[in-house]
Amino acid sequence: MTAPTKVQALKNYVGGEWVDSSSENRLDVPNPATGKSLGTVPLSTKEELNRAAETAAEAFRTWRKTPVPKRARILFKYQQLLIEHREELARLITMENGKSYNEALGEVQRGIECVEFAAGAPTLMMGSQLPDIATGIESGMYRYPVGVVGGITPFNFPMMVPCWMFPLAIACGNTFVMKPSERAPLSANRLAELFAEAGLPAGVLNVVHGAHDVVNGILDHPRIKAVSFVGSQPVAEYIYKNASANGKRVQALAGAKNHSIVMPDADLDVAVNNIIGAAFGSAGERCMACSVVVAVGDIADKLVDRLVKASDEIRIGDGLEKEVFLGPVIRDTHKERTLGYIEAGEKEGARLVRDGRKDDLPEDGWFVGPTIFDDVKPDMKIWRDEIFAPVLSVVRAENLDEAIRIANESEFANGACLYTDSAKAVRQFREEMDAGMLGINLGVPAPMAFFPFSGWKDSFYGDLHANGKDGVEFYTRKKMVTARY
Ligand code: NAD
């Protein structure tokens, strides 16, 4: 597979023009599998963000009045273009993020599904009426966009997460300023380019690259009425507090520590395959990654043994190479942090049953092999913190009550999975597990675009989640008209 090698200085996209940032601060964007530069990203200034917000506010004046079916037609065209470019987009994702090409293709597909959902705007934007709320009086609810929306995204899904935001926001009649992750900024530009090719008018989608200054600009700008954020927990909390203090709507999706409970009656083949995929796929850099297994009863020894054996078979390398399953983590600093957690786990007394530091790892890039700790306890740092890397903890529990209690002790509550053949266990898990997205006998229960992405506790700040009807509610406001004629 060939990959473009041209080093590019990324530009911002404002008012339909590709513009150089005036900032002298630029970061290198290396391919995490090789360490070689793919380009540089500007750390744009707050003034540049302000200009983009003003441009988006100007574009809102006409875009909000553009008939909804006309908006939807542009999304249909966009969906078609994304399908035509899916392999190119997947290569780009692999190069900037490091995940395997197959996973990148999966990500492209999930992004396209968001655009498909947004293309249903004429139905999604419908209001409701009651002709007789009193004799001769009717009442109707009409749905309108909120204005300019700001989007701030993480490095781990450079296409799918932006696609949770801007297609639906724009389909609902808003205009958008996106601040992609400075660690994986390339896909965002290609997404904007293809949307323009689909016929999106200038100024409706704007991309401003950068870090804190641009983020703070989004939080402060009075023309930005709503903020969609996806990223780590401390930043999500910061975004939620500051954007809401400034009177904006906020949805802030945060970090995770997802538990998979394996019951003694589980089909071990299913459990092992799915846990390996969920723990080590995308190098564990998924908010729905399985980072803790809770082994119930006497299945634990067999399960750990099978997990270790399956991990030994994992092919590690550049995600663009065929058969590679486990790519690098995003940066050298993230690798160092991960190695720090492995050392901490050993010091805290967890049993290191598979040491990914000892794998035959590529010399270039930032690789960590699949790592598994057994006998992890809920007071350990490796249980508590989101490591966001290919490090899996196994906790042992006597029964389902204890397993659920342990999982519920986590401050995070994005997802949780249960492997079992028992309907009774499934029911108890569904009723008692405090997490927003549950999976039964599968590894990554990420909902499709027409359902909400529904984290709880410290995995989410806000009221209305991303995607589905929640997304439509978030990106619209309602007007009630009550009339007597
Ligand atoms: P991050 O929080 O470091 O960065 C996310 C965004 O916030 C980036 O655009 C970054 O530029 C900006 N940012 C970072 N620090 C900031 C600061 N101090 N002030 C202002 N802005 C700041 O997250 P990441 O490492 O890019 O992504 C991984 C995290 O995202 C993980 O915690 C993962 O669980 C989470 N995530 C959550 C979901 C979900 O749906 N809950 C989905 C994907 C990723």
Side-chain angles (χ1 to χ4, degrees), residues 153-156 179 182-183 215 229-232 254-255 287 386 453:
T153 56
F155 78 82
N156 67 324
K179 204 295 288 172
E182 65 279 24
R183 290 189 282 177
V215 171
F229 171 86
V230 177
S232 60
C287 67
E386 181 183 43
F453 201 91

Side-chain angles (χ1 to χ4, degrees), residues 334-368:
H334 191 42
K335 177 170 175 168
E336 287 309 312
R337 180 178 175 272
T338 305
L339 299 182
Y341 272 108
I342 297 175
E343 280 163 30
E346 284 182 298
K347 279 199 196 116
E348 286 177 307
R351 210 152 47 85
L352 185 57
V353 291
R354 193 180 191 289
D355 187 349
R357 297 171 298 191
K358 295 195 176 140
D359 280 309
D360 187 14
L361 302 171
E363 266 179 31
D364 298 324
W366 305 300
F367 292 88
V368 181

